[in-house]
Amino acid sequence: MSIDTIDRSALLEEADATASKAAAALGGLQNADGHWVFELEADATIPAEYVLLRHYLGEPRNAEIERKIGVYLRRIQSPSHHGWGLFHGGAFDVSASVKAYFALKMIGDSIDAPHMVQARTAIHKAGGAAAANVFTRIQLALFGAGPWSVVPTLPVELILLPRWFPVHLSKMSYWARTVIVPLLVLAAKKPVARNPSGVLVDELYTTKRAKLVSKAAGTKQAWTTFFNGLDVVLKGVEPLWPKGTRQRAIDACVTFVTERLNGVDGLGAIYPAMANSVMMFDCLGYPEDHPARAIARESVERLLVVKDDEAYCQPCVSPVWDTALASHAMLEAGGEEAEARAAAGLAWLKPLQVLDVKGDWAEEKPDVRPGGWAFQYNNAHYPDLDDTAVVVMAMDRAKDRTPAAYDESIARGVEWTVGLQSKDGGWGAFDADNSYHYLNNIPFADHGALLDPPTSDVTARVVSMLAQLGETDTPRMKAALAFLEKEQMPDGSWFGRWGVNYIYGTWSVLCALNAAGLDAKHPMVRKGADWLIHIQNLDGGWGEDCESYALDYKGYTPAPSTASQTGWALLALMAAGKVDHPAVERGIRHLISTQAADGLWGQEKYTGGGFPRVFYLRYHGYPAYFPLWAVARYRNLKRSNDPRPAFGM
């Protein structure tokens, strides 16, 4: 259906039919216990590392799983640059390509096969395996396929340093912390993979050496020089560390990991930390049936997605996020069945609130009571502000249907969230005031994701939550709004840390500003809406590429429309009071015309943020609930003659 063939008088009926069909389809994907969980896909790195982990441990080969992962890796190999990118259609990435090549060779692909020759040529052109990032260099070193000398030194004794020390684990993000602690043990012990097949990748090296290239924003040459010099010193003194101190540090790392092992959900509930914990236990001599090692190993296995002819490994799972957002979409869709499904989702979410564990966030805020939700099924030490705000808003929105059912959950969620506001008025994802930007200059931080500072999107979500609950004129709200005003780009957009990118950030903030009572005439709102209208595609949709995270970003670059980004833009414009604007009508027409026969929308593009410039995510649920949400909201606002939404999202 073309967007131009829908008669304007019939547009509301078409939107209603589209929303009803989408709600039925989304409802059909709900699990029997009430929750939704969709696939969460990253790049070639995680499935490649999964294959290498099995060979590192010397486990019996699972030929069928390896075959299916091989099919997956070959399918996502780029037909243009012949390597692997960080997202669908993305540019060549040497680190992802080295790991994918290594895994395929381990699986059994001949190095003379055309796809392997092409990949190897592309890797050589990019500087060879020596040009890979820190984590890839560590992976190679663990197999004896590369030297430890090119890996920046983080001595295991780091875990023993006092908290006031400039380089301290508590000053790093949760994900960095959980990945690094078991890695400290591996770097100290320098084990070598069992690798029964004896596969290495010597052919990926050239005669050239390569420096680490940082993807961190805002690095300073003076700090970089200092930390590079410190790395040279640490490498020199490493053999001189007292054995007793080293053992005490290793023991402290083991204690850290075991306290946060998180059952079958794994350390930090993210693949790199989980895999590192398994290798740590292995190198320390823990047998396969030791409870800690066994459950750590099982947690990795649970991330596999196995289909008829291919398989891959997820970086983590997203059930709380998916369930909360799907519940919002179903509440917007309305009707007895959709609202009942939302209620089931919220009932599933309620007991997952973390009320009894003071996680790592308490290092900075020890007097705050726990009360957040994590992203995954279980991750009690690491709840996050974004999930918590979204869950609280959904529960508040459903209160009319279930009076008092969520009052205590909402109160504790708000208490924990406001307790983690940072000094600059904003909120980060997992911690307060995790803004030690000088740490981005250490050689180990080449990925640029060592920290968790306040961001526009998370801050906006908390503002939306507080405003939806009736708080609009308190000192903390004024500080948060000032933070958002400071973060607005000159073109009117906002950076999106956890979604791609400025469309996501602008959606998040415009929803918050509407909830906080700023109308369409306010300069922040007007500039944000104007930017979205200006970048709309000719087909009526919106799109933005992951390349928008480039360090030399100079402004929006047109990209093909996606269902999720179109949904965000429409929700943002409606929050800005633009429900009657022609751009909104064109966007709704686009979603109506691109809905698939099954009631959903297709989308291969990656629109989820992991780490800018390093790691991106394809949320398979995004094209299921965001377009539904947008179309249903349009219908609701038009039928009510209300120009602005009444909710925080």
Side-chain angles (χ1 to χ4, degrees):
M1 182 188 296
S2 167
I3 65 171
D4 299 321
T5 62
I6 305 171
D7 186 83
R8 177 166 289 174
S9 63
L11 185 59
L12 268 186
E13 285 69 26
E14 291 283 357
D16 189 35
T18 297
S20 297
K21 189 175 181 180
L26 181 58
L29 298 173
Q30 188 174 26
N31 286 281
D33 63 2
H35 85 285
W36 282 270
V37 63
F38 294 89
E39 292 177 42
L40 185 59
E41 188 177 358
D43 54 62
T45 301
I46 304 297
E49 287 185 3
Y50 173 82
V51 171
L52 296 175
L53 174 65
R54 295 191 66 120
H55 286 261
Y56 172 90
L57 297 170
E59 295 177 348
R61 295 188 71 165
N62 186 327
E64 183 62 6
I65 288 293
E66 287 193 1
R67 183 191 70 79
K68 289 185 175 184
I69 291 176
V71 171
Y72 174 83
L73 290 174
R74 292 181 213 105
R75 177 175 67 80
I76 65 172
Q77 185 176 8
S78 171
S80 56
H81 57 63
H82 307 301
W84 285 264
L86 299 178
F87 53 90
H88 179 78
F92 176 86
D93 183 81
V94 67
S95 300
S97 297
V98 167
K99 288 182 179 177
Y101 179 99
F102 197 172
L104 285 172
K105 186 177 180 182
M106 194 70 81
I107 287 167
D109 286 18
S110 169
I111 64 171
D112 295 322
H115 68 284
M116 296 290 276
V117 172
Q118 291 172 330
R120 188 166 61 251
T121 301
I123 292 168
H124 283 170
K125 186 178 178 181
N133 62 20
V134 166
F135 288 115
T136 306
R137 293 181 182 196
I138 292 171
Q139 185 83 74
L140 293 168
L142 287 170
F143 275 83
W148 279 101
S149 61
V150 298
V151 175
T153 300
L154 273 183
V156 68
E157 290 78 10
L158 175 67
I159 200 167
L160 300 177
L161 294 173
R163 195 168 185 274
W164 54 260
F165 201 77
V167 181
H168 192 270
L169 288 166
S170 69
K171 292 180 168 65
M172 301 175 189
S173 63
Y174 119 72
W175 55 85
R177 209 175 301 140
T178 55
V179 169
I180 286 172
V181 171
L183 203 55
L184 292 175
V185 177
L186 293 172
K189 292 287 189 178
K190 295 182 175 55
V192 179
R194 290 177 180 80
N195 191 11
S197 302
V199 173
L200 298 175
V201 285
D202 294 348
E203 68 275 14
L204 294 185
Y205 286 91
T206 67
T207 56
K208 297 179 181 178
R209 299 184 65 181
K211 291 183 178 180
L212 283 171
V213 177
S214 177
K215 296 188 177 182
T219 56
K220 307 294 184 183
Q221 185 58 49
W223 276 114
T224 300
T225 301
F226 169 76
F227 281 119
N228 283 339
L230 180 61
D231 186 61
V232 173
V233 173
L234 288 172
K235 280 181 166 54
V237 302
E238 189 175 16
L240 306 177
W241 286 108
K243 290 183 179 179
T245 304
R246 174 137 295 194
Q247 187 57 52
R248 188 156 59 92
I250 290 172
D251 292 343
C253 289
V254 173
T255 298
F256 178 97
V257 170
T258 52
E259 285 179 353
R260 296 161 177 77
L261 207 48
N262 203 29
V264 294
D265 295 283
L267 177 63
I270 51 176
Y271 176 87
M274 293 152 67
N276 287 348
S277 71
V278 176
M279 291 188 286
M280 180 196 78
F281 287 129
D282 177 71
C283 84
L284 293 175
Y286 285 59
E288 289 183 22
D289 60 355
H290 185 281
R293 173 176 168 166
I295 204 164
R297 181 64 185 87
E298 183 181 346
S299 71
V300 172
E301 211 65 20
R302 287 174 175 243
L303 294 176
L304 283 178
V305 173
V306 183
K307 302 183 180 183
D308 289 342
D309 195 47
E310 66 177 38
Y312 71 93
C313 188
Q314 301 172 103
C316 62
V317 290
S318 54
V320 171
W321 187 241
D322 285 331
T323 302
L325 292 169
S327 295
H328 274 280
M330 294 301 252
L331 289 169
E332 193 71 44
E336 186 175 345
E337 182 177 349
E339 290 177 8
R341 289 192 175 278
L346 295 176
W348 180 83
L349 285 167
K350 185 177 179 179
L352 295 186
Q353 187 174 23
V354 182
L355 298 171
D356 57 350
V357 177
K358 280 203 167 188
D360 288 6
W361 52 266
E363 288 273 342
E364 186 67 32
K365 298 288 187 177
D367 298 326
V368 176
R369 287 199 301 172
W373 278 265
F375 182 77
Q376 304 91 346
Y377 286 107
N378 184 37
N379 196 12
H381 279 83
Y382 305 107
D384 72 275
L385 285 303
D386 210 355
D387 276 273
T388 301
V390 173
V391 172
V392 166
M393 281 188 277
M395 288 183 167
D396 175 72
R397 186 170 179 179
K399 279 203 309 183
D400 291 344
R401 301 163 185 85
T402 51
Y406 301 116
D407 286 354
E408 179 61 22
S409 298
I410 290 170
R412 287 293 296 272
V414 171
E415 179 184 341
W416 179 73
T417 301
V418 299
L420 266 69
Q421 187 173 22
S422 292
K423 294 183 181 72
D424 62 5
W427 278 267
F430 296 89
D431 288 289
D433 296 304
N434 194 256
S435 302
Y436 304 93
H437 294 289
Y438 61 87
L439 291 178
N440 277 328
N441 296 275
I442 67 175
F444 194 88
D446 67 326
H447 56 300
L450 203 65
L451 305 175
D452 179 21
T455 61
S456 297
D457 45 359
V458 179
T459 300
R461 209 83 69 225
V462 178
V463 169
S464 287
M465 177 194 74
L466 294 174
Q468 181 175 309
L469 295 171
E471 181 178 329
T472 57
D473 196 32
T474 60
R476 64 187 173 215
M477 279 291 280
K478 290 177 180 177
L481 290 171
F483 174 87
L484 293 175
E485 185 172 21
K486 179 187 68 176
E487 290 291 304
Q488 189 171 25
M489 300 285 287
D491 63 10
S493 65
W494 280 269
F495 179 79
R497 167 64 180 83
W498 297 101
V500 181
N501 173 346
Y502 294 93
I503 295 175
Y504 183 89
T506 305
W507 159 62
S508 303
V509 177
L510 288 180
C511 286
L513 298 182
N514 168 65
L518 279 64
D519 64 21
K521 296 179 181 178
H522 192 282
M524 274 201 287
V525 177
R526 178 179 49 77
K527 287 177 63 180
D530 286 349
W531 179 78
L532 283 170
I533 293 167
H534 176 71
I535 67 164
Q536 186 176 24
N537 286 331
L538 292 176
D539 64 5
W542 279 265
E544 188 177 8
D545 196 87
C546 298
E547 293 294 349
S548 60
Y549 288 102
L551 288 173
D552 60 350
Y553 178 74
K554 295 180 177 63
Y556 174 78
T557 300
S561 299
T562 70
S564 58
Q565 289 168 323
T566 299
W568 298 336
L570 287 168
L571 290 167
L573 288 173
M574 287 185 277
K578 301 288 186 183
V579 67
D580 294 322
H581 195 283
V584 171
E585 181 179 316
R586 289 196 300 272
I588 294 297
R589 288 175 178 272
H590 173 81
L591 289 180
I592 292 171
S593 67
T594 54
Q595 186 180 32
D598 63 0
L600 303 175
W601 285 262
Q603 180 182 299
E604 287 190 288
K605 297 284 185 181
Y606 284 39
T607 59
F611 309 131
R613 298 171 294 281
V614 176
F615 192 71
Y616 304 102
L617 297 167
R618 178 188 176 191
Y619 285 87
H620 286 230
Y622 277 13
Y625 39 75
F626 282 119
L628 161 61
W629 196 341
V631 174
R633 175 154 294 171
Y634 175 79
R635 175 203 62 192
N636 295 343
L637 291 178
K638 294 291 281 188
R639 285 186 172 168
S640 67
N641 290 317
D642 193 338
R644 293 167 62 182
F647 307 104
M649 291 182 73

